[in-house]
Amino acid sequence: MRKAAYSLRRRLIASILGASVLVWAVSLGIIVYVSWHETSDVFDDALKETARLTLVLGASLQQPQAPGVLERDEHREPAKLRLYYQIVGEGGRMLRRASDAPAHPFSAEFDKRSAFRNVWVDGQAWRVYLARARGYDFQVQVGQPWSKRMDLLTEVAGALLWPALALLALLAAFCWWIIRRLLRPIEATAQRIGGKSAADLAPVPTEGEPRELQPIVQSLNLVLDRLAQALQAERRFTADAAHELRTPLAALRMRIQLMQRQQQQGSAAPAAGTVTLQSLRDEVDRCTALVEGLLALARLDPENPATLPRETVDLPALLDALGREAGKDGRADVRVDGRVPKLRAHPELLRTALRTVLDNALRYGPAEGPVVVEALPLADGGCRIAVRDRGPGVPAADRARLGERFFRSLGSGQTGNGLGLSIVARIAVLHGATLSFEPGLDGLGLGVVLDFPGG
C-alpha cells in the first residue's frame, strides 16, 4: 500500500501548539492554586489584624490607652500582614495610633469621604485608607507600607518560580523529542543519499516522504540520473579506448618483433636497424604499459571505500605466490616473511598493489641484491606489508611525491611512466590503508610500506 504524503510543517506546528496549550493549561492551574492560597492567607491575616484593631479600639473605650500592650502580647501570633492605624481628630490632632505607626497623620485631608491615598511619610511610601463616619469628630487612617506588599509579591513569585521552571524544562524536552521524531524522515533520507556511490546511482524513493522534502529528493534524482548517464558514457569510452588502443599497439609490437627476426635471420651480426627496432619495440611496450596504467586508474577512481567488496585473504599464500612468480627467471632473490595469516581486502586489488611494488623493487634494485617482503602485525590489530630492496633508493625530498601520477625520480636509469605507485596509492585509499616510504635494506634502496587498519 502506497503511503500518502504529509506536511512536515503542519505536524510541527500542531505538535508545538498542542504542547504549548497543554503546558499553558497546567501552568494556569498551578498559578490559580498558588494565587488563591496566598490570597486566602492575606485575607486571613487582614481579618486577624482587623480583629486586633477592634480589640484596641474597644479597649480604648473602657480605659486610657496603654501603648504597645497588645503589640507585645506574647500569646499573639506575629502578624504576617501588619496594618498601622491612626485616629486623628480635628486639626490633625493625633488621638490614638498603633505603637509603630508614624507620630503625625498619614494624610492631612480631613473630610467625610472614605478614600485610598498613596502618600510618603518619613521617606517611605504608604498605601493609606481614610475613613470618617458621619456624626463623629475623628477620622481613622489605616496604612500599610508598599514594601510589605512587595514582600508579598516576592513570596508569590518565589512560590511560582520552581514550578514554572519545571514546566519550561518539560516543554523543552517534549518539543525536542517530538521535533526529532518528526524530522526522522529527513535523517533517513540523508542516510540513503549518503550511501550512494558510483556503483549505486538508483533514484532515491519518495514514497511516504513529507511534501516539503519531495522536491529536493526529485531534484536529486534528476542529478543522479544525469551522473549515471555521464559515468556510463565514461565507462563506455574507457572500454572502447581500451579495445581500440590495445589492438593496434599489440599489432605494432608483433610487426616489430617479426621485422627483428627477419633481420636477424638475414644477417649474422646485429645491424643498426635491429637496434632501432628494439628501441621502437621498447617504446611500444612503454605505451602499452601507459595505457594499462591509465585504464587501471580510470577503473579505480569511481570506487568508494565504503562499498568496496572485501573478503578474507590468505596473506602468506599470496606473498609466496608473488615471490615465486617474480623469481621464475632465476635472477631475483625474493625473501618472504609472512607473520600475519589473514587480511580483509579486495583480493585482486591487493594482488595488483603488491605485484606493482614488487616489480618496482626488482626493476630498480641490483641484480644480485635481495628483495624482502614482510607482513607484520600492528598493535591496533592491523597489518603492515613492507617491500624493501637494496637499490639506489630515492632522495628524501622526492619520497613524498612518489604517489603522484606521472612523477618519476631522476637518475634511476629505468624506463617507466610514473603510474605504478599512483595505482598503489589509490588501492591503499580504497582499503583505508596508509602508504609511506622508508629506506630499504641496510639503509640502502627503498622501502614501500602499506599499513592496513585492524578489523
Side-chain angles (χ1 to χ4, degrees):
M1 182 178 179
R2 184 173 182 177
K3 296 181 180 179
Y6 60 89
S7 174
L8 187 62
R9 184 184 299 108
R10 291 180 183 176
R11 288 195 175 188
L12 284 174
I13 292 175
S15 301
I16 294 177
L17 285 180
S20 300
V21 170
L22 178 62
V23 173
W24 174 81
V26 175
S27 302
L28 181 61
I30 294 177
I31 292 174
V32 170
Y33 172 80
V34 173
S35 299
W36 174 258
H37 186 270
E38 295 295 332
T39 304
S40 298
D41 290 343
V42 171
F43 282 129
D44 291 343
D45 292 338
L47 290 175
K48 290 180 181 179
E49 188 67 17
T50 302
R52 186 181 68 82
L53 292 176
T54 303
L55 288 176
V56 171
L57 293 177
S60 67
L61 297 177
Q62 304 297 327
Q63 59 185 359
Q65 180 184 13
V69 171
L70 294 179
E71 286 78 357
R72 294 193 301 268
D73 187 356
E74 296 180 355
H75 299 287
R76 186 176 62 83
E77 297 180 0
K80 295 182 180 179
L81 182 64
R82 295 298 305 272
L83 300 177
Y84 301 85
Y85 70 91
Q86 294 176 343
I87 300 178
V88 183
E90 296 287 348
R93 182 170 54 90
M94 184 69 65
L95 301 179
R96 288 186 180 276
R97 64 183 178 87
S99 60
D100 295 333
H104 53 284
F106 290 114
S107 175
E109 298 182 15
F110 194 83
D111 52 22
K112 298 180 180 180
R113 292 184 299 118
S114 299
F116 286 98
R117 297 287 186 272
N118 293 321
V119 298
W120 282 85
V121 179
D122 297 332
Q124 186 177 12
W126 292 75
R127 179 70 169 171
V128 180
Y129 181 72
L130 309 179
R132 182 180 179 185
R134 186 182 300 274
Y136 290 91
D137 59 352
F138 66 89
Q139 181 189 54
V140 175
Q141 299 185 7
V142 182
Q144 179 189 23
W146 272 107
S147 60
K148 299 299 182 181
R149 294 197 175 192
M150 294 303 299
D151 291 342
L152 178 62
L153 179 61
T154 303
E155 184 179 352
V156 174
L160 292 175
L161 177 61
W162 291 111
L165 291 177
L167 289 174
L168 182 61
L170 179 63
L171 177 62
F174 177 79
C175 290
W176 174 83
W177 176 79
I178 194 66
I179 291 177
R180 182 177 181 182
R181 177 177 181 149
L182 293 177
L183 292 181
R184 194 171 297 169
I186 298 180
E187 298 176 356
T189 302
Q191 291 178 356
R192 288 197 295 270
I193 294 174
K196 293 295 179 182
S197 64
D200 179 20
L201 296 178
V204 179
T206 58
E207 294 185 2
E209 297 289 351
R211 280 196 288 267
E212 291 80 4
L213 194 59
Q214 287 186 0
I216 299 176
V217 177
Q218 291 171 358
S219 300
L220 178 64
N221 287 337
L222 291 176
V223 174
L224 290 177
D225 182 64
R226 295 171 186 171
L227 181 59
Q229 294 179 6
L231 287 177
Q232 185 177 2
E234 180 181 352
R235 289 167 182 166
R236 190 185 305 114
F237 170 78
T238 301
D240 295 342
H243 176 73
E244 296 297 330
L245 288 174
R246 286 172 180 169
T247 301
L249 287 175
L252 182 58
R253 188 176 187 280
M254 291 178 60
R255 289 181 179 274
I256 294 173
Q257 188 176 5
L258 180 59
M259 292 174 64
Q260 283 182 309
R261 291 179 180 178
Q262 291 176 351
Q263 288 186 356
Q264 290 175 357
Q265 292 175 359
S267 159
T274 303
V275 179
T276 303
L277 289 176
Q278 181 62 42
S279 301
L280 183 59
R281 181 178 175 181
D282 293 340
E283 289 298 325
V284 171
D285 290 341
R286 181 175 176 274
C287 292
T288 303
L290 176 61
V291 170
E292 294 290 344
L294 291 174
L295 293 177
L297 287 174
R299 287 191 298 268
L300 291 175
D301 280 340
E303 293 293 339
N304 190 342
T307 59
L308 183 70
R310 307 185 189 191
E311 60 185 69
T312 302
V313 178
D314 188 347
L315 195 55
L318 175 60
L319 296 180
D320 290 338
L322 291 176
R324 289 194 304 268
E325 181 181 343
K328 285 182 179 179
D329 57 0
R331 179 188 68 87
D333 180 13
V334 181
R335 303 174 186 175
V336 178
D337 181 14
R339 303 182 190 178
V340 179
K342 297 179 181 180
L343 177 65
R344 291 283 299 176
H346 189 286
E348 293 302 323
L349 294 183
L350 180 61
R351 179 185 294 271
T352 300
L354 296 181
R355 182 189 294 116
T356 301
V357 175
L358 186 56
D359 289 344
N360 283 349
L362 296 175
R363 179 185 302 177
Y364 294 103
E368 67 279 2
V371 174
V372 176
V373 182
E374 57 184 6
L376 305 176
L378 297 176
D380 61 353
C383 172
R384 165 170 291 185
I385 302 178
V387 179
R388 308 180 191 275
D389 59 56
R390 197 176 286 162
V394 178
D398 292 342
R399 290 177 188 170
R401 301 187 58 191
L402 285 179
E404 298 180 7
R405 296 183 181 183
F406 302 106
F407 175 78
R408 298 184 67 248
S409 180
L410 300 178
S412 61
Q414 297 290 332
T415 60
N417 48 48
L419 290 179
L421 290 179
S422 300
I423 297 175
V424 175
R426 179 57 184 166
I427 294 175
V429 170
L430 292 177
H431 286 83
T434 302
L435 175 64
S436 59
F437 303 96
E438 301 175 354
L441 300 175
D442 302 328
L444 303 175
L446 180 67
V448 181
V449 180
L450 285 167
D451 289 335
F452 292 85

